[in-house]
Amino acid sequence: MIRSILLSAFLMTSGTIFSQNLKTVSYQDGAQKLNGLVTSNTGKKLPGVLVLPAWKGIDDEAKAAAAELEKQGYIAFIADIYGEGNIPTSMDSAAKNSGYYKKNYEAYQKRISLALEQLKKNGAIPEKIAVIGYCFGGTGALESARGNLPVLGVVSIHGSIGKDRTRVNGPISTKILVENPADDQGVTPDDYNNLIKEMNEGNADWQIITYAHSKHTFTDPKSPDYNEVMAKRAWNHTLMFLKEILK
């Protein structure tokens, strides 16, 4: 029990600690300034992983993931989707901002593409890049696959997996891993079944792993939904997937 408490406390602060090794990279989408973060191993010509943060923007979970990815031999870049001056300060503003990009998915794909370019500029091998995303970022990971962005694979971690039904399913060349919490009330049976239909119709290489007794933000140590056992399994599944496609 004590070990579990200590581990959880470490994970809750790891994003802040590890962020000391992350460097701010400013880039542009037209007049909008964006501020991403990159790991300290830039310029080493390594496989790259783009991290898409949750709906409040770059947070400790994204920073901790980037730091762990660096330890695994990847250059990691955390994307800034909203841009300077637009970072949500409340749940309502986060819902509004993320909702805009979910609806205007081409704008979301563009912001992801711009972040991918920054990842390459910082040394990631262009032919060996993947995307992982949490929550709203998990939606972005799927949008990377739907848009056939130049990445080998994507991992959607408790992302919103549904899409507007007026959108036509198309071919998907990107490998897909969906890490889905079993008790996520934001994912309906229709969302789940429609995603499988979409991936099959796109002839995608896909897999879905569902984590028992897990609510929406089960991987975030700061969330009341945090499930330590399942979070560790999910991360191990992420690393196994990345190793398969990038190394």
Side-chain angles (χ1 to χ4, degrees):
M1 178 66 179
I2 294 175
R3 179 178 179 275
S4 175
I5 293 172
L6 290 174
L7 178 60
S8 295
F10 169 75
L11 290 170
M12 288 179 72
T13 58
S14 60
T16 302
I17 294 171
F18 294 144
S19 68
Q20 297 173 4
N21 295 322
L22 297 172
K23 180 180 71 174
T24 300
V25 176
S26 296
Y27 55 113
Q28 298 287 140
D29 182 2
Q32 178 63 62
K33 183 179 180 182
L34 306 165
N35 297 303
L37 294 174
V38 70
T39 47
S40 62
N41 55 347
T42 57
K44 294 188 177 181
K45 299 301 179 184
L46 297 168
V49 180
L50 180 66
V51 180
L52 301 179
W55 70 342
K56 282 192 173 182
I58 296 174
D59 58 11
D60 284 350
E61 185 171 28
K63 293 175 184 177
E68 287 299 318
L69 289 166
E70 181 177 3
K71 290 181 181 179
Q72 297 295 324
Y74 303 104
I75 297 173
F77 186 87
I78 309 176
D80 177 7
I81 300 300
Y82 300 135
E84 188 170 282
N86 298 312
I87 307 304
T89 57
S90 66
M91 299 291 277
D92 287 343
S93 59
K96 180 180 179 181
N97 288 11
S98 63
Y100 171 83
Y101 286 98
K102 288 178 183 179
K103 181 178 180 180
N104 297 279
Y105 63 90
E106 291 179 336
Y108 199 0
Q109 291 171 352
K110 181 182 180 184
R111 289 280 167 94
I112 295 168
S113 294
L114 292 171
L116 286 170
E117 288 304 312
Q118 293 302 315
L119 178 58
K120 294 174 189 176
K121 287 180 180 180
N122 280 277
I125 300 169
E127 299 80 19
K128 292 189 175 183
I129 290 178
V131 176
I132 73 169
Y134 295 88
C135 187
F136 169 57
T139 306
L142 291 175
E143 287 299 341
S144 301
R146 289 166 177 150
N148 283 307
L149 301 188
V151 299
L152 293 180
V154 303
V155 184
S156 175
I157 306 167
H158 56 78
S160 176
I161 62 177
K163 73 171 186 180
D164 191 323
R165 294 189 182 184
T166 63
R167 293 173 64 182
V168 177
N169 293 338
I172 298 175
S173 58
T174 309
K175 299 179 189 296
I176 298 173
L177 169 60
V178 176
E179 298 180 353
N180 181 58
D183 302 324
D184 189 342
Q185 295 182 351
V187 175
T188 68
D190 280 346
D191 290 335
Y192 189 92
N193 293 332
N194 286 334
L195 178 63
I196 292 174
K197 182 175 183 290
E198 176 187 4
M199 293 188 293
N200 282 337
E201 289 184 356
N203 197 32
D205 177 340
W206 66 270
Q207 58 188 318
I208 298 176
I209 303 175
T210 299
Y211 299 89
H213 315 298
S214 297
K215 296 181 180 180
H216 176 54
T217 50
F218 77 106
T219 62
D220 185 355
K222 291 186 175 181
S223 168
D225 293 348
Y226 181 58
N227 183 322
E228 180 185 337
V229 172
M230 295 301 173
K232 183 177 180 180
R233 290 180 185 174
W235 184 245
N236 286 336
H237 292 147
T238 297
L239 294 180
M240 182 168 62
F241 178 79
L242 294 175
K243 183 178 180 180
E244 175 190 327
I245 65 173
L246 297 180
K247 293 188 174 181

